Amino acid sequence: MTGIRTVRVELGERSYEVLVGAGARHELAALVPATAQRAAVVTQPGIPLEIDPGIPFEVFEIGTGEDHKHLGTIEALCRSFARIGLTRHDLVIGLGGGMVTDVAGFAASTWHRGVPVVHVATTLLGMVDAAIGGKTGVNLPSVNGLGGKNLVGTFWQPSGVICDLDALATLPPREVRCGRGEMAKYHFLTGDDLLAMDESTRIARCVEIKATVVADDEREAAGKPAGRALLNYGHTLAHALEIETAFALAHGEAVAIGLVYAAHLAHVLGRIDGDRVQHHYAVVGGAYELGTSLPAHLDPQRLLASMARDKKAVSGLTFVLDGPRGVEVVAEVPQAAATEALQVMAGRS
Ligand code: GLY
């Protein structure tokens, strides 16, 4: 396994390994549970990696895009699993980006009340975030205004994860931007100088940070100010931006803007100084070359209302914010401060 790093997600008897490196897909068979007789590979058209799990397998493609991330896709997969007689002693493999691993994980967690799953992440976003940690889910399409992203899902840890860096060379520029948005958040969760690392070391370090956070707080326990919720740094505004732009802004692009907004809000609240705000711009806009401006046409009141409905909110407007103790969950943020931070950002554009 030359050049392949192994990161362990420590979860007792559900612990597993994440293999990170160019060519890591060739180690897939080593992560297949010994009991698995065959595999259902869930993927999308155009995924650039070929895999060989070392057991017989069938491939099932799902559609591309958020429009396909719903319960109908799970039903279609379950019908395919039924057709091939997939059992609890077999395996589901999610081969693709975050949408594929979310959907494959959810289908695996519910089929026969739970079939093992291994993820092969093919996007940067999948590698540093979605494929690790066991969150699965689909969207609930809006009916009478009630619906939202990832509202239906489970916690279902994979038996192993492959992050094959060969896949990154094939990513379209927008997909790279999305991954960088998620990667940027890790700069503020620890004191690590991630920019000093080469890309594969940096990806492995992001995986390690996520593994540590998940091992400490697998199910995002309510009221834990420094648990898994920290992985949502920048996400409160990001989710609102995704909704208010009808997903014209992709997740990672929205997270980039959400990170600098969170810095402005922390500054307005007196939690960090101006240099720290500039550091956010230097990482997000400078090093990762991501957009940091609010889309001009959005109504601040709608953004605030959308942020107040965030499913992570514990009490009033809730954000993950930087501060003297590092990044932590802050509830009951005054609406005036959230509005002021939006105004400050808009004024910079
Ligand atoms: N993507 C955030 C988490 O896994 O908790």
Side-chain angles (χ1 to χ4, degrees):
M1 290 217 294
T2 337
I4 295 179
R5 295 175 165 89
T6 302
V7 178
R8 196 166 162 78
V9 184
E10 288 291 352
L11 288 166
E13 61 184 14
R14 288 172 296 109
S15 298
Y16 55 94
E17 290 180 344
V18 183
L19 306 185
V20 184
R25 66 190 177 283
H26 301 302
E27 306 302 325
L28 173 60
L31 299 185
V32 170
T35 51
Q37 302 295 308
R38 62 219 170 111
V41 177
V42 177
T43 189
Q44 283 170 327
I47 295 292
L49 285 188
E50 286 195 7
I51 54 167
D52 178 4
I55 52 176
F57 64 97
E58 284 208 39
V59 176
F60 302 102
E61 289 187 344
I62 62 173
T64 301
E66 289 285 322
D67 287 354
H68 294 271
K69 194 178 179 189
H70 54 66
L71 286 167
T73 299
I74 300 298
E75 180 176 356
L77 281 175
C78 288
R79 294 203 181 281
S80 302
F81 296 167
R83 182 170 54 72
I84 64 167
L86 195 79
T87 77
R88 227 184 263 171
H89 301 294
D90 294 320
L91 177 69
V92 172
I93 297 174
L95 169 64
M99 176 185 159
V100 169
T101 54
D102 279 6
V103 167
F106 186 37
S109 72
T110 48
W111 179 249
H112 286 202
R113 298 200 176 87
V115 179
V117 64
V118 169
H119 295 310
V120 182
T122 61
T123 63
L124 183 57
L125 191 146
M127 294 178 192
V128 299
D129 189 42
I132 303 152
K135 276 190 182 173
T136 84
V138 294
N139 304 333
L140 186 65
S142 181
V143 174
N144 297 330
L146 300 175
K149 260 185 78 125
N150 297 333
L151 287 188
V152 190
T154 57
F155 284 98
W156 189 247
Q157 296 297 342
S159 305
V161 178
I162 299 276
C163 300
D164 190 326
L165 305 184
D166 284 345
L168 299 181
T170 65
L171 288 183
R174 190 159 195 207
E175 196 56 64
V176 174
R177 281 205 299 279
C178 282
R180 287 181 175 175
E182 280 294 348
M183 199 176 218
K185 81 181 176 196
Y186 289 104
H187 285 253
F188 310 105
L189 299 187
T190 68
D192 292 32
D193 184 2
L194 294 174
L195 292 177
M197 300 174 186
D198 63 59
E199 195 186 36
S200 74
T201 309
R202 194 185 314 161
I203 291 172
R205 180 63 190 136
C206 292
V207 171
E208 245 171 38
I209 296 169
K210 177 147 189 182
T212 305
V213 172
V214 168
D216 175 57
D217 180 21
E218 183 185 6
R219 294 197 168 221
E220 211 169 307
K224 196 162 176 158
R228 187 164 182 166
L230 298 193
L231 297 172
N232 291 310
Y233 189 41
H235 283 55
T236 312
L237 179 66
H239 289 149
L241 289 173
E242 286 180 87
I243 292 164
E244 293 302 319
T245 62
F247 298 103
L249 270 179
H251 181 67
E253 295 169 329
V255 170
I257 300 169
L259 287 169
V260 294
Y261 173 71
H264 278 296
L265 180 53
H267 188 232
V268 167
L269 292 169
R271 297 173 57 85
I272 59 172
D273 61 20
D275 286 350
R276 185 70 174 160
V277 178
Q278 285 317 314
H279 181 57
H280 281 68
Y281 276 99
V283 170
V284 178
Y288 286 120
E289 301 178 339
L290 298 167
T292 53
S293 303
L294 284 171
H297 59 282
L298 295 180
D299 174 0
Q301 291 311 317
R302 284 186 61 113
L303 285 176
L304 283 174
S306 188
M307 290 194 280
R309 283 195 299 270
D310 192 275
K311 68 175 184 293
K312 315 279 182 195
V314 284
S315 179
L317 270 172
T318 302
F319 291 88
V320 180
L321 293 177
D322 204 354
R325 291 175 297 274
V327 173
E328 62 190 356
V329 176
V330 180
E332 307 282 6
V333 171
Q335 187 157 329
T339 306
E340 187 180 334
L342 285 175
Q343 286 164 346
V344 175
M345 254 182 104
R348 283 182 67 120
S349 307

